[in-house]
Amino acid sequence: MGPPGTPAPIAAKISDDLRAVLSEPAHEEALRGHRQLHQSDVAGAELLAYIRTEQALWKPVIEQISTFKAAPK
Amino acid sequence: MIARIVAEGLSHRWGQQVFVANHPGAAGSIGMKVAGSAPPDGYTLLFALSSSFVALPEIAKDYPYDLVRDFVSIGFVCEQPMAIAVPPSLGVNTLGELIDYVKKRPGEINVAVLSRGGIPHLTSEWIKLAAGLDWTSINYPGTPAGLSDVMGGRVQVIMDGLPSLAGSINGGTAQAPRSRLRASACRTGRTRRPSPKRCPRSRARSASSR
């Protein structure tokens, strides 16, 4: 993620380069060596949608964790 | 570790060194604050863990940054499976057996998880809710400390990302040099992932997959 205000052309350039790096066999192998699932084709709106899906998935669990309810805000 | 693999690749591609600055803790809020206040020039990026956007918005509602609202989307690197492991002395081999074991010992079982609000912590609470268990999540600053207490018998279960536990599951590492952990279950996901040889994949259980 880029800091707030990162210009779209800069974000796009880094996104393209990141995608290229992750598609290189050496880096795919390195990630698999750490038993990570490698997905390099998610960016932009699709990435934000992924994040929202994860938030929705975990929200009901977080709401029921008692220590979170007691935590000062 | 994963950030360093990515940084190495970007360094090679850009012809200049990309440094990884660790700012762990507080469900990712410390790192997010550092990156959030950096100039938006592409020279500082946030390598966000899921806790930054899953737990943080819920447990710190007045936190100044919201990852989705404030940061600029660049790319997705990877996701990792979550693993549950127990010492062989516990005598359980599957998630079902673990659930049965815990149900017979309400309030007696402690689960080592990483920092408060991290995905291992949430996974422990999720299984607790889904399976109706009475166990306690204990937050540790790192996997080695959790493993040490598991192998010492002070904690009965540990949950963490599979990469962190794979060495111990597969046969002992520096994290647990004299003992081997037995994988009780591995969380499933969208895609089949490479698994340790002693790590059976759980399925068709209410608390095993999403």
Side-chain angles (χ1 to χ4, degrees):
Chain A
M1 306 294 281
T6 300
I10 291 178
K13 162 67 174 162
I14 300 171
S15 179
D16 290 346
D17 288 343
L18 174 64
R19 196 174 299 203
V21 165
L22 294 175
S23 66
E24 292 171 2
H27 291 97
E28 282 189 327
E29 187 63 30
L31 288 173
R32 290 190 188 285
H34 288 281
R35 295 183 174 82
Q36 310 292 320
L37 174 66
H38 163 208
Q39 291 184 338
S40 63
D41 57 347
V42 179
E46 199 176 0
L47 175 57
L48 295 181
Y50 170 84
I51 290 173
R52 291 194 179 97
T53 299
E54 290 291 306
Q55 289 174 328
L57 178 76
W58 289 106
K59 187 178 176 71
V61 178
I62 294 169
E63 287 176 342
Q64 294 189 63
I65 298 176
S66 59
T67 54
F68 288 169
K69 292 174 185 172
K73 294 179 179 176
Chain B
M1 182 61 75
I2 302 305
R4 295 189 191 285
I5 292 173
V6 173
E8 180 187 329
L10 291 173
S11 296
H12 182 72
R13 189 171 186 84
W14 291 339
Q16 55 184 306
Q17 188 68 46
V18 176
F19 293 99
V20 176
N22 288 310
H23 296 281
S29 65
I30 298 170
M32 193 187 297
K33 194 168 186 178
V34 171
S37 59
D41 55 9
Y43 282 87
T44 301
L45 302 172
L46 174 66
F47 198 93
L49 300 177
S50 52
S51 57
S52 304
F53 55 81
V54 169
L56 190 59
E58 298 297 326
I59 64 177
K61 293 187 182 296
D62 58 348
Y63 190 70
Y65 294 107
D66 181 288
L67 195 73
V68 175
R69 182 193 64 208
D70 300 322
F71 281 75
V72 177
S73 164
I74 287 178
F76 183 83
V77 175
C78 64
E79 58 183 3
Q80 66 179 19
M82 209 42 59
I84 308 167
V86 300
S89 59
L90 211 63
V92 299
N93 295 289
T94 67
L95 180 60
E97 289 178 10
L98 177 61
I99 288 172
D100 292 342
Y101 183 92
V102 176
K103 284 191 171 179
K104 291 174 183 171
R105 297 164 179 80
E108 298 179 15
I109 306 301
N110 294 319
V111 184
V113 297
L114 287 183
S115 63
R116 181 175 174 270
I119 294 300
H121 181 196
L122 299 186
T123 302
S124 171
E125 296 296 324
W126 175 36
I127 293 173
K128 177 180 177 178
L129 292 167
L133 303 180
D134 180 8
W135 67 19
T136 303
S137 300
I138 308 293
N139 298 128
Y140 281 81
T143 303
L147 278 169
S148 176
D149 273 5
V150 169
M151 302 320 299
R154 291 175 289 276
V155 177
Q156 295 77 26
V157 184
I158 185 168
M159 295 190 195
D160 203 350
L162 180 54
S164 298
L165 296 178
S168 298
I169 291 170
N170 277 338
T173 67
Q175 295 174 326
R178 290 173 297 173
S179 305
R180 293 195 303 201
L181 291 176
R182 174 172 297 152
S184 171
C186 283
R187 180 181 171 196
T188 60
R190 299 185 187 92
T191 306
R192 186 165 184 82
R193 299 160 167 85
S195 298
K197 52 194 174 187
R198 293 189 179 85
C199 189
R201 187 169 295 272
S202 65
R203 64 191 124 199
R205 300 290 302 210
S206 62
S208 66
S209 69
R210 59 179 164 137

